[in-house]
Amino acid sequence: MFDIVRTRWRQKYQTMAWPDGPPPALPARFAGRPRLAAGPVENLRDALAACPTGALDVAEGQGRLDLGKCLFCRACQQACSDGQVSFTTEHQMAARQRQDLVIRPGQDSPAPARHELAARLFSRSLKLRQVSAGGCNACEADCNVLSTLAWDMGRFGIQFVASPRHADGLLITGPVTRNMQLALRKTYDAVPGPKIVIASGACAISGGPYAGHAEQSDGCAAAVPVDLFIPGCPPHPLTILDGLLRFVGRLEERE
Amino acid sequence: MSDFLHVYNAHAFPAADCPQVDFETFRRQVVEAVAGGARLAVLTAQQAASQDSRLIAVLMGLEAERLSVLSCPVGSSYAALTPQCPAAHWFEREIAEQTGIQPAGHPWLKPIRFIPGPQGSAPLPGVADMFGMAGSEVHEVAVGPVHAGVIEPGHFRFQCHGETVYHLEILLGYQHRGVERALRGGPDRRTRHYMETLAGDTTIGHAHTWCRATEALAGTRVPARAQAIRGLAAELERLANHIGDLGALAGDVGFLPTQSYCGRIRGDVLNMTAALCGNRFGRGLLCPGGVAFDVDGPLAEELLRRLERISTDAGGAIELMFRTPSVLARMEGVGALSTETARQIGLVGPAARACGVDIDVRRDQPYSIYRFSHIPVCTWSDGDCFARAYVRWLEIQHSLTFVKEQLRSLPAGAICQPPQPLRAGQMTVAVVEGWRGQIVHLVSTDAAGRFDLYKVVDPSFYNWFGLACVLRGQQISDFPLCNKSFNLSYCGHDL
C-alpha cells in the first residue's frame, strides 16, 4: 500500500493542460497539415509521380491535395522542384465534409468539423464503439493513447465503450476489408439512433495505401454514412482529439 | 550430408543457385533437420508462369549464423510435412489457401486468412467449420471479430466444459488486405508504405527487414551511422511496445497503477521516435541505403535526457507490479507452455524465450549494428504469463542501456548511401528480431529486377498457434491475460 502511494507520488501529475492550456509540443519534424502554393503545374510533375496514393493531382489548371488520401510521407515535398507543396506542423485537420479535405493553392485555413446534431446531443457525453476494419493497427494504437492519463479523453465525456448498444456512434479505422464488411454492417445496425460515424485515418477515408485492392472497399463511406473525417496515417492523437472536440462543439472553430 | 545452401542473413545469391532436389529428399532433409534442432523459418510455394511450382524451405539454426535454403518441384499435391514437423502446420495451410497445392495428410487443412473469392464465395472466418467437442454439458463460446476493446478483429471459438477450456480455435483473416499479392512486380512507390503498414506497431521492424533485403539485392552498403540509428529506432520500438504491454497486462489483472503509468510512458517512448522522424511509429525513418533523418548533437542530448526520465518512471511503475503479490498470484502458473511444445510448434521471440528457448536473431544471425553492439538474450523457464511478462521487463532494461550507449557513441559519416536498382535474378533471406520475434522476408527478383517472390513472415504467424495451445485446461476468464501476454498482430498475420 505504502509502495503504491510512493510510486504514485513519484510519477507526478501527467495530464496535459490542453485545451485550456497550450497543446502538447509536436516535434519539429512532424508532418501536419500540408499547404499548396500557386505555381506552374509543370513543376508538379515529379511530385505527382512520387505520390503513392494519387492524393496529389491537377484539376482546373492547378494542383490539389486530398488529405483523405494523403499518407503524409512527404514524397511530393521532396520531389517538388519549386516548393509548391510543403507540410506545416499544424495538427488541426478533421473535417465534417469529405470534399473539404481537398486543399487547393492558397487555401490555408482548416475546414469546419462541427456537427450540429452531435453538438446538441453529445457535447457532454459521447460514447464510441471503435471498429477496426483492416489497416495496420497504428490508428487503433493512437486511439488507445487518448484513454491514457496523458490525454485523458474521459474528462470531456468521450469514451470508447465495449458494446455498440451502449454507443452513440462508431469510430472506424481501416479500409474495410471484404472479410469485415458484414461485421461492420452488423455493428452499425446495433448502434441505437440517432447515431454518428467517424472515419479515422487514410484507410478508413479512402483505402489509404491499399486503395484499389480488390480485398477491401476503399474506406467505410461505401458501407455507412460518415459524419467526420480525420486524416492522417495514422492521425496524431492531437489531431483525433481536436477533431472530436470540434465535432461536438467543445472547441470553437478557428476564425 | 544435406543439400541445403547456407547463406548469411540478408546476403544475396543468384536465384539459380537455390538448391533444388526431388520432393522425397526435400521432405526427408527438412523433417530431419527440424527434428535435430533446426527451426523452420519459411515454408512456401512459389508459382511462376514460366516454370513449374516449387516448394522453398528456409531453416535457422542448422549452421551457425546462417540460414539454410532448399527447394523442390511440386505438383498439385504432396505429402504434408506437418505430421512429422508440427511447425509446418500453419505454413502448409497457407500454401493450400494461396496456391491450391494440397498438402495431403495435413491434420487440419483449412484456410488461415479466408481470402475472399471473386464473388465472395469463400466462407467468412467466423462461420467456417470449426473444431468441435461433443457432449451434453459441453458448451461453445464465440468471441469476435468485433471485440470489447480498441483492438483488431479476429474470431475466437472456445470449447468449454464449465469454466475450463478444452480447446481454442483462432480464426483470422479479417485484416486481409492483399499486401503480399500487391508486392509482387515491385518495387514501386507504394512498396515502402506496404512495408511500414504490414504491422503498424512494428513499422521499424518490417521496414528494417525490407531495407536489408533490397540492399542485399541491389548490392548497397549501409553507412555505420545509419546502422546505429536503425538500431536505435528498433530498440525504441521494442521499448514502446514492451512497456505498453506490461501496462496492459497490469490492467488485465486489475492492477491499475501500473496500467496508468505504463500507458503514458509508452507514449513518451513513441514521442522519442517522433523526435527522430516526425512520426510516432517511425514512418519514413528508414529507407533503402540508410535512414532519411539524422540525429545531431542537440537531438541526441535531448533524447538522452528524456530517456533518463523514462528509465526512472518505467522502472518505478513496472517493479511496483512485480513486487505486488496479488499480481504475481494472477500471473504465475497461468497459460504455461513447455519448452518442448514451444520448440515443436516453432514459437519465436519473447514468447519462446519465456519458455526457455534460447533464440534471438540479434545474437544468432547477427546483422547491422548488432554485429558490433551485443544485447544479452533474456530467457525464463516457466513459459507462463509471468515468464512472458518478466522476459519483457528484462528486455526493456537491456534496450534502455543499448539506446543510451548508441546515443552517446554515434559513428560519424553519412546517413544514406543512394540506392541502386535491384539486380536481376537474385534471391535473399533477411531476418530481423522485431519486438515480437523474428521477422523474415524471403525475396527474389526476376530477369528485369522486379520482385517475383516477396514472402513476409511476421512473428505472429509463428505464435498464434502457441496462444491456442496455452489455453488448454485454463479457465476461460484467463483468456484476456494469456492473449495480452502474447499480444500478437492480426494485420501482420493477415497481410
Side-chain angles (χ1 to χ4, degrees), chain A residues 220-246:
Chain A
C220 61
V224 291
V226 180
D227 301 290
L228 181 70
F229 299 87
I230 307 178
C233 187
H236 192 278
L238 186 57
T239 302
I240 305 174
L241 187 53
D242 172 88
L244 293 176
L245 293 178
R246 288 177 199 283

Side-chain angles (χ1 to χ4, degrees), chain B residues 2-5 18-21 25-27 29-30 55-59 68-72:
Chain B
S2 75
D3 294 297
F4 286 97
L5 173 71
C18 177
Q20 184 145 331
V21 295
T25 311
F26 174 88
R27 190 178 191 285
Q29 292 193 359
V30 171
L55 290 175
I56 307 172
V58 180
L59 301 188
S68 309
V69 187
L70 191 64
S71 76
C72 73

Side-chain angles (χ1 to χ4, degrees), chain A residues 3 8 11 14 29 49 51-52 73-74 129 132 134 136 142 144 177-179 209-211 213 215 233, chain B residues 114 117 147 149-150 173-175 177 181 189-190 194 197 200 261 264 276-277 280 283 294 309 313 323:
Chain A
D3 206 8
R8 171 69 193 87
Q11 295 279 338
Q14 299 284 357
R29 290 168 177 174
C51 179
C73 66
R74 294 179 274 203
R129 172 61 253 191
S132 170
C136 76
D142 268 352
N144 268 325
T177 55
R178 292 264 296 275
N179 285 344
Y210 317 113
H213 288 201
E215 294 86 351
C233 187
Chain B
F114 297 84
H147 302 283
V150 181
Y174 295 98
Q175 298 279 67
R177 51 212 188 279
R181 177 189 56 71
R189 56 191 175 176
R190 279 199 193 178
Y194 289 140
T197 61
Y261 308 144
R264 191 267 304 173
L276 288 176
C277 68
R280 287 156 53 88
R283 301 276 161 89
D294 201 0
R309 182 72 201 287
D313 287 358
R323 275 199 307 266

Side-chain angles (χ1 to χ4, degrees), chain B residues 165-222:
Chain B
V165 178
Y166 280 79
H167 183 73
L168 160 63
E169 186 162 351
I170 299 170
L171 295 119
L172 303 171
Y174 295 98
Q175 298 279 67
H176 178 64
R177 51 212 188 279
V179 185
E180 249 184 12
R181 177 189 56 71
L183 281 168
R184 252 171 273 139
D188 58 37
R189 56 191 175 176
R190 279 199 193 178
T191 304
R192 180 190 129 194
H193 301 282
Y194 289 140
M195 292 300 152
E196 291 180 339
T197 61
L198 286 170
D201 52 26
T202 315
T203 294
I204 296 292
H206 275 290
H208 197 177
T209 320
W210 160 65
C211 285
R212 295 186 56 246
T214 53
E215 284 151 8
L217 294 170
T220 311
R221 296 183 97 92
V222 180

Side-chain angles (χ1 to χ4, degrees), chain B residues 15-16 45-51 54 56 180-181 183-187 217 422-428 442-455:
Chain B
Q46 184 184 21
Q47 282 180 318
S50 57
Q51 60 194 54
R54 58 174 180 164
I56 307 172
E180 249 184 12
R181 177 189 56 71
L183 281 168
R184 252 171 273 139
L217 294 170
L422 306 187
R423 291 174 290 174
Q426 296 283 310
M427 194 172 204
T428 190
L442 169 65
V443 194
S444 74
T445 51
D446 63 13
R450 318 294 298 175
F451 298 141
D452 60 359
L453 171 70
Y454 205 114
K455 180 86 208 84

Side-chain angles (χ1 to χ4, degrees), chain B residues 34-379:
Chain B
V34 173
R39 295 186 304 113
L40 188 62
V42 185
L43 178 66
T44 191
Q46 184 184 21
Q47 282 180 318
S50 57
Q51 60 194 54
D52 294 334
S53 301
R54 58 174 180 164
L55 290 175
I56 307 172
V58 180
L59 301 188
M60 295 166 83
L62 194 57
E63 191 79 15
E65 296 196 6
R66 285 187 281 179
L67 301 142
S68 309
V69 187
L70 191 64
S71 76
C72 73
V74 68
S76 59
S77 166
Y78 70 93
L81 279 65
T82 303
Q84 279 83 45
C85 173
H89 167 206
W90 220 255
F91 285 112
E92 294 196 314
R93 283 172 61 174
E94 182 187 47
I95 289 170
E97 180 173 25
Q98 285 184 339
T99 65
I101 297 169
Q102 294 297 306
H106 190 287
W108 190 232
L109 193 60
K110 62 186 281 187
I112 59 169
R113 300 194 178 97
F114 297 84
I115 297 171
Q119 284 85 38
S121 47
L124 283 169
V127 293
D129 286 341
M130 267 165 257
F131 199 83
M133 195 164 94
S136 59
E137 292 182 359
V138 166
H139 65 104
E140 253 187 18
V141 178
V143 181
V146 179
H147 302 283
V150 181
I151 51 171
E152 298 178 80
H155 184 86
F156 301 92
R157 190 69 66 95
F158 300 87
Q159 307 294 327
C160 301
H161 181 249
E163 290 288 300
T164 307
V165 178
Y166 280 79
H167 183 73
L168 160 63
E169 186 162 351
I170 299 170
L171 295 119
L172 303 171
Y174 295 98
Q175 298 279 67
H176 178 64
R177 51 212 188 279
V179 185
E180 249 184 12
R181 177 189 56 71
L183 281 168
R184 252 171 273 139
D188 58 37
R189 56 191 175 176
R190 279 199 193 178
T191 304
R192 180 190 129 194
H193 301 282
Y194 289 140
M195 292 300 152
E196 291 180 339
T197 61
L198 286 170
D201 52 26
T202 315
T203 294
I204 296 292
H206 275 290
H208 197 177
T209 320
W210 160 65
C211 285
R212 295 186 56 246
T214 53
E215 284 151 8
L217 294 170
T220 311
R221 296 183 97 92
V222 180
R225 189 174 178 84
Q227 294 190 1
I229 295 174
R230 285 178 174 187
L232 202 68
E235 296 310 316
L236 285 176
E237 186 168 88
R238 195 179 320 277
L239 282 170
N241 284 296
H242 280 2
I243 292 172
D245 280 357
L246 288 178
L249 276 169
D252 275 339
V253 300
F255 190 66
L256 302 185
T258 299
Q259 181 194 24
S260 307
Y261 308 144
C262 283
R264 191 267 304 173
I265 300 165
R266 170 180 170 276
D268 289 348
V269 182
L270 293 177
N271 286 338
M272 286 183 63
T273 304
L276 288 176
C277 68
N279 182 285
R280 287 156 53 88
F281 298 90
R283 301 276 161 89
L285 176 56
L286 273 58
C287 57
V291 291
F293 296 91
D294 201 0
V295 181
D296 58 13
L299 180 58
E301 290 294 318
E302 163 71 11
L303 292 176
L304 276 169
R305 202 177 50 74
R306 290 199 208 176
L307 209 58
E308 280 307 322
R309 182 72 201 287
I310 287 168
S311 301
T312 313
D313 287 358
I318 294 167
E319 282 177 349
L320 172 67
M321 171 169 88
F322 287 126
R323 275 199 307 266
T324 304
S326 61
V327 172
L328 299 179
R330 260 317 259 116
M331 288 184 175
E332 285 171 350
V334 173
L337 203 60
S338 70
T339 311
E340 185 54 31
T341 310
R343 281 190 195 282
Q344 276 188 357
I345 61 180
L347 223 57
V348 301
R353 293 192 281 275
C355 299
V357 181
D358 186 17
I359 52 168
D360 190 321
V361 181
R362 291 173 294 177
R363 179 198 62 194
D364 300 337
Q365 290 82 23
Y367 55 94
S368 195
I369 186 70
Y370 304 112
R371 281 179 294 150
F372 312 108
S373 297
H374 302 288
I375 295 188
V377 179
C378 308
T379 61

Side-chain angles (χ1 to χ4, degrees), chain A residues 179-245:
Chain A
N179 285 344
M180 270 305 284
Q181 283 170 346
L182 178 65
L184 173 61
R185 187 71 223 173
K186 284 187 170 182
T187 311
Y188 178 78
D189 289 343
V191 177
K195 53 190 163 187
I196 53 95
V197 171
I198 298 163
S200 187
C203 283
I205 301 174
S206 69
Y210 317 113
H213 288 201
E215 294 86 351
Q216 52 82 55
S217 345
D218 284 352
C220 61
V224 291
V226 180
D227 301 290
L228 181 70
F229 299 87
I230 307 178
C233 187
H236 192 278
L238 186 57
T239 302
I240 305 174
L241 187 53
D242 172 88
L244 293 176
L245 293 178

